[in-house]
Amino acid sequence: MVSHKEFVAAGKQPGLQVWRIENLDLKPVPKALHGSFYTGDAYLLLFTTAAPSYNIHMWLGEECSQDESGAVAIFATQLDDFLGGKPVQYRDVQNCESNTFLGYFKSGIKYQKGGVASGFQHVVTNDMSAKRLLHLKGRRAIRATEVELSWASFNKGDSFILDLGKDVYQWCGSECNRYERLKASEVSIGIRDNERNGRAKLHMVEEGEEPKAFTEALGPKTAIAPSTPDDEKADISNKKKGALYMISDASGTMKVSSVAPSSPFKQAMLSPEECYILDNGVDKNIFVWKGPKANMSERKAAMSAGQQFIKDKGYSNTTQIQVLPAGAETTLFKQFFSDWRDKDETTGPSKAYTIGSIAKVKQVPFDASTLHSNKAMAAQHGMVDDGKGKVQIWRVENGAKAPVDPSLYGHFYGGDCYLILYSYRLGGREQHIIYTWWGLKCTQDELAASAFLTVLLDDSMGGSPVQVRARRRQHSPLPHPPKLLQRHPSSGGELSACTRACQIPCRTLTSSSHLFPQVEASASSLNTNDVFVLKTPGALFVWRGVGASDEEMDAAKHVVGFLGGSPSQVSEGKEPADFWSALGGKKEYQTSKSLRNIVHPPRLFGCSNKTGRLIVEEIPGDFTQSDLATDDVMLLDTWDQIFLWVGNEANEEEKKGAPKIAKEYVDSDPSGRRGLPITTIKQGAEPPTFTGWFQAWDLKMWETDPLDRIRGKF
């Protein structure tokens, strides 16, 4: 194995390491200049997590040479070998970087003219002789590109930075919106703090109010060009098509054969003895999956196979490539599979360890007594409080809402729609949540009536309640209501003396409150990872699968209490004959103990029509509260539910268009997710179920202007 001297410290500590290709060798880039790239060069990046897991990136500037791009590919392969073949590998091209790459540089990335061949070096100095103009583009991921030092480079719709060494001027066009100014300011502060070691002075300049320094650097001012439309962004609802291919060198040359022409795929399609290409070229993404038992030549050729595939398909050279070893699959890859499950490696009682970015999502045990103080727990378990607030429930009947008898709270009929109003106190103020619950068999008239009645109820309360829509489906827990109903509900048909089965699934059992779905009373419904409660006219069984947990057994007690009766405990593999008889005989069911669900990392998207049409962009990296653009609608995907956050300055088109986008986002999900609850939240009225997904949520942030806060750092 070839090992470069730079690899000695590679991956030893969590964080980012960056090297540039100089004279076909690796040279480290100073940490203070991470995020600054010369367009004529190629770079190698390694990101190491605490787990540890690794991401390797090859970054290619638009003007880098073939020799440099070839050299960085060789070093990437050698670094992958050095780290035991465990890293995920990415190929990133200037202006078309992956969200993973952009996430390392939350204050933006800078493209500088030139490169090694032009004599430009990455050196941190206090040289105050800099003279350059940077054009800033993007609302979510900021790219600052060096442009010609001329008035002709400016336009009214964007921000520019005139860097004159000791003075750094941030110029804002008359049509530049507030949030883009905010993000541009982060780049300006980064230049001062990193490149000038804090010694430069920052200035905010509005179009038409340019100081004398501008004319001295740029000459007499000329007419400013009108704003230019942003580059075309991919619509989130058209990103989901994929095709799966197997690659093999069994014949002596690399061959590609079709496995499945379109997504969603089944995880079983991936054989551990082979390597595969998942083609998402329509969205400029190619994934190469390396089976753990595939031969070494196939595994080492994974990146080159991906590059050759792009050429053969005639895809753009800017198409991103991810090379994934088994066990380190990214969220983007796994979304194309309808049944993807990760194998957890148990490290102790009721603890699980998963590699990669998943490890950053810490599982929080459920404890209702700490709901008001533990926002992370509230978010993960869908609880705003301990469920002891006031509850009112109505069923939709003949276009109006009819009160439900409190003695029936907790039981929903699949052919009806319900409105649930929950009131609780938070921070000394009364808060409200309206839940709209749709049964799978309800009519279109009832659906329309429930939506209309929800709006009327919301309006009657001044528009302050949070709204949650939940269409019931098999195995789909309703967030929070089961707990506030003070019992664990079932959801199905009429209560009768017939045989009924309820499932306590491991994948939804993260708290003491859940919707336990009624499933078909058949042996094929069983799952080795779950607990099932089976009630017949003459008996009551609690069946425990080998992979089920004590928490699931505890939850089963609540279902038993709801159904009534004294249960017989049944362990998997030791079932009595009358148990199988009640289920209609033995049948095959899910018996793989390794297929356990994991926490899916939450994803945040911005919905904006600032460019003239409604587009959706994902927030790269670990998002924070400051990524919530107050002039947009944001979509937060936590896997089990969708949140729509409405900024106070969002316009009517964004407010009306975002719910449709949320529905299309779920309906087009390649994993097959359907019918998720969609919760609409207004800025300033965020419940813990939302804020808990954000690190260090600041309740007072919205009390001051974000632009004023960042100007205070100038």
Side-chain angles (χ1 to χ4, degrees):
M1 180 177 68
V2 179
S3 179
H4 194 280
K5 65 182 190 311
E6 284 293 329
F7 297 165
V8 174
K12 294 293 190 292
Q13 298 291 332
L16 184 66
Q17 294 169 274
V18 183
W19 298 272
R20 180 167 71 157
I21 303 299
E22 297 184 11
N23 300 319
L24 305 185
D25 197 6
L26 285 178
K27 297 293 182 183
V29 174
K31 188 172 183 178
L33 297 181
H34 286 182
S36 184
F37 301 91
Y38 285 107
T39 59
D41 291 333
Y43 292 77
L44 180 68
L45 292 81
L46 172 66
F47 183 77
T48 305
T49 72
S53 61
Y54 312 97
N55 291 337
I56 293 175
H57 297 262
M58 298 185 296
W59 185 90
L60 307 176
E62 288 181 342
E63 300 165 3
C64 80
S65 68
Q66 285 291 328
D67 287 345
E68 289 170 326
S69 62
V72 75
I74 292 171
F75 286 127
T77 301
Q78 292 177 355
L79 181 56
D80 182 69
D81 281 346
F82 181 79
L83 295 172
K86 298 176 183 177
V88 174
Q89 295 183 55
Y90 297 79
R91 175 181 176 269
D92 291 290
V93 178
Q94 180 183 339
N95 284 311
C96 298
E97 294 87 355
S98 62
N99 258 14
T100 303
F101 182 95
L102 296 172
Y104 305 141
F105 312 105
K106 292 295 284 185
S107 60
I109 56 178
K110 296 187 288 294
Y111 301 138
Q112 298 179 248
K113 290 182 178 179
V116 174
S118 308
F120 292 96
Q121 300 297 318
H122 281 288
V123 180
V124 182
T125 68
N126 292 320
D127 180 16
M128 296 297 181
S129 62
K131 196 174 184 181
R132 60 178 178 170
L133 182 64
L134 298 174
H135 180 193
L136 278 62
K137 294 285 285 185
R139 285 175 63 80
R140 320 298 170 192
I142 299 293
R143 290 178 170 91
T145 305
E146 187 174 353
V147 294
E148 182 183 356
L149 197 64
S150 163
W151 285 108
S153 298
F154 288 78
N155 74 70
K156 294 177 177 291
D158 292 330
S159 289
F160 292 77
I161 293 176
L162 179 60
D163 181 4
L164 299 178
K166 64 180 181 179
D167 289 287
V168 177
Y169 298 90
Q170 179 182 320
W171 183 93
C172 302
S174 57
E175 298 172 18
C176 175
N177 68 62
R178 291 168 53 79
Y179 190 70
E180 287 170 340
R181 292 169 183 242
L182 189 67
K183 302 301 284 186
S185 296
E186 295 175 3
V187 179
S188 301
I189 291 170
I191 291 174
R192 177 195 65 190
D193 294 348
N194 296 325
E195 297 186 30
R196 303 292 139 73
N197 288 329
R199 300 188 181 186
K201 186 174 182 180
L202 299 183
H203 309 267
M204 185 81 78
V205 178
E206 299 293 331
E207 179 185 346
E209 301 176 4
E210 297 84 3
K212 184 179 179 181
F214 270 66
T215 53
E216 291 177 350
L218 304 168
K221 183 180 178 180
T222 58
I224 302 297
S227 59
T228 57
D230 280 3
D231 295 334
E232 185 177 353
K233 300 291 190 303
D235 189 322
I236 206 164
S237 65
N238 193 33
K239 301 174 69 173
K240 308 302 184 182
K241 290 297 181 183
L244 189 63
Y245 299 86
M246 184 174 72
I247 52 179
S248 172
D249 66 352
S251 61
T253 57
M254 199 66 72
K255 298 289 185 182
V256 177
S257 56
S258 177
V259 175
S262 64
S263 57
F265 310 121
K266 298 291 186 181
Q267 190 173 0
M269 292 177 178
L270 301 176
S271 167
E273 287 82 18
E274 307 292 348
C275 293
Y276 296 82
I277 289 178
L278 196 163
D279 176 10
N280 181 222
V282 67
D283 193 35
K284 292 190 174 182
N285 279 316
I286 296 295
F287 305 88
V288 186
W289 185 84
K290 301 188 295 185
K293 298 179 182 178
N295 68 56
M296 191 55 67
S297 61
E298 287 178 353
R299 291 170 59 82
K300 286 192 173 184
M303 179 61 79
S304 58
Q307 290 174 305
Q308 186 61 47
F309 185 86
I310 288 174
K311 291 180 182 178
D312 293 344
K313 285 285 188 178
Y315 292 153
S316 166
N317 185 51
T318 60
T319 301
Q320 297 167 13
I321 300 175
Q322 292 184 19
V323 177
L324 310 164
E329 296 86 358
T330 60
T331 302
L332 285 179
F333 176 81
K334 290 184 287 191
Q335 71 173 347
F336 288 93
F337 294 80
S338 61
D339 63 344
W340 191 276
R341 301 289 182 270
D342 278 299
K343 183 178 180 180
D344 287 346
E345 301 171 26
T346 301
T347 58
S350 70
K351 294 181 181 178
Y353 166 78
T354 50
I355 68 171
S357 60
I358 303 299
K360 293 187 292 186
V361 185
K362 184 179 180 182
Q363 290 273 21
V364 182
F366 182 80
D367 178 4
S369 66
T370 63
L371 273 166
H372 291 288
S373 58
N374 192 336
K375 294 177 182 176
M377 186 194 65
Q380 288 188 27
H381 299 291
M383 301 288 287
V384 295
D385 70 345
D386 57 7
K388 294 180 180 177
K390 181 182 179 182
V391 184
Q392 298 177 73
I393 302 179
W394 298 268
R395 184 161 62 177
V396 177
E397 294 182 6
N398 301 319
K401 61 183 199 291
V404 173
D405 187 329
S407 67
L408 295 177
Y409 283 8
H411 191 84
F412 299 93
Y413 291 94
D416 292 331
C417 294
Y418 295 82
L419 269 65
I420 306 170
L421 175 63
Y422 182 66
S423 304
Y424 65 103
R425 298 196 70 80
L426 180 67
R429 293 189 303 169
E430 189 171 45
Q431 306 282 347
H432 308 279
I433 301 177
I434 299 172
Y435 295 93
T436 310
W437 190 92
W438 299 345
L440 278 179
K441 298 178 182 178
C442 64
T443 66
Q444 286 298 319
D445 288 344
E446 288 171 328
L447 289 176
S450 69
F452 177 69
L453 292 171
T454 299
V455 172
L456 288 182
L457 183 58
D458 183 71
D459 288 346
S460 71
M461 305 184 73
S464 63
V466 171
Q467 294 181 34
V468 180
R469 183 187 69 195
R471 187 184 183 104
R472 188 190 68 76
R473 61 187 177 94
Q474 200 79 2
H475 306 305
S476 177
L478 217 64
H480 191 235
K483 179 64 179 180
L484 62 86
L485 297 178
Q486 303 303 318
R487 66 168 75 194
H488 292 264
S490 62
S491 56
E494 296 294 325
L495 282 168
S496 67
C498 64
T499 298
R500 308 172 67 217
C502 285
Q503 181 180 13
I504 293 83
C506 63
R507 57 189 164 280
T508 62
L509 193 81
T510 50
S511 78
S512 62
S513 66
H514 284 278
L515 177 73
F516 303 128
Q518 181 178 339
V519 297
E520 182 183 357
S522 167
S524 60
S525 299
L526 298 174
N527 186 310
T528 191
N529 297 311
D530 296 341
V531 172
F532 289 77
V533 179
L534 174 66
K535 182 175 177 60
T536 72
L540 182 64
F541 300 94
V542 175
W543 181 90
R544 177 173 183 165
V546 173
S549 69
D550 291 340
E551 289 84 356
E552 289 154 17
M553 286 297 292
D554 288 341
K557 295 176 183 177
H558 295 280
V559 178
V560 168
F562 186 82
L563 295 175
S566 179
S568 298
Q569 304 294 328
V570 178
S571 298
E572 183 177 10
K574 299 179 181 179
E575 297 88 352
D578 55 344
F579 174 80
W580 292 122
S581 177
L583 290 175
K586 289 185 178 181
K587 294 180 183 178
E588 289 189 1
Y589 61 87
Q590 175 57 268
T591 58
S592 173
K593 293 191 291 291
S594 66
L595 298 184
R596 303 299 298 267
N597 279 276
I598 60 160
V599 174
H600 292 265
R603 303 172 69 186
L604 182 66
F605 302 84
C607 309
S608 171
N609 70 341
K610 301 300 182 290
T611 62
R613 63 188 181 91
L614 195 60
I615 59 173
V616 178
E617 296 176 274
E618 184 168 3
I619 309 303
D622 296 332
F623 56 79
T624 65
Q625 185 180 358
S626 56
D627 285 314
L628 296 173
T630 56
D631 58 351
D632 282 343
V633 173
M634 310 294 292
L635 186 155
L636 176 65
D637 177 5
T638 66
W639 189 256
D640 289 326
Q641 65 177 315
I642 303 294
F643 292 95
L644 280 178
W645 180 89
V646 183
N648 288 339
E649 300 159 33
N651 60 46
E652 286 305 312
E653 183 178 341
E654 290 165 345
K655 292 177 182 177
K656 291 179 181 178
K660 181 183 177 183
I661 284 180
K663 183 178 184 302
E664 291 175 351
Y665 172 77
V666 174
D667 290 347
S668 63
D669 192 313
S671 70
R673 286 186 297 166
R674 297 293 183 272
L676 295 183
I678 298 175
T679 302
T680 302
I681 292 170
K682 300 175 181 67
Q683 180 184 340
E686 299 89 352
T689 47
F690 178 81
T691 61
W693 294 106
F694 294 79
Q695 295 281 345
W697 182 272
D698 182 2
L699 288 171
K700 297 183 178 180
M701 176 175 281
W702 309 130
E703 295 177 6
T704 56
D705 187 329
L707 204 53
D708 288 342
R709 282 199 307 272
I710 201 157
R711 277 175 174 159
K713 298 179 181 179
F714 269 45

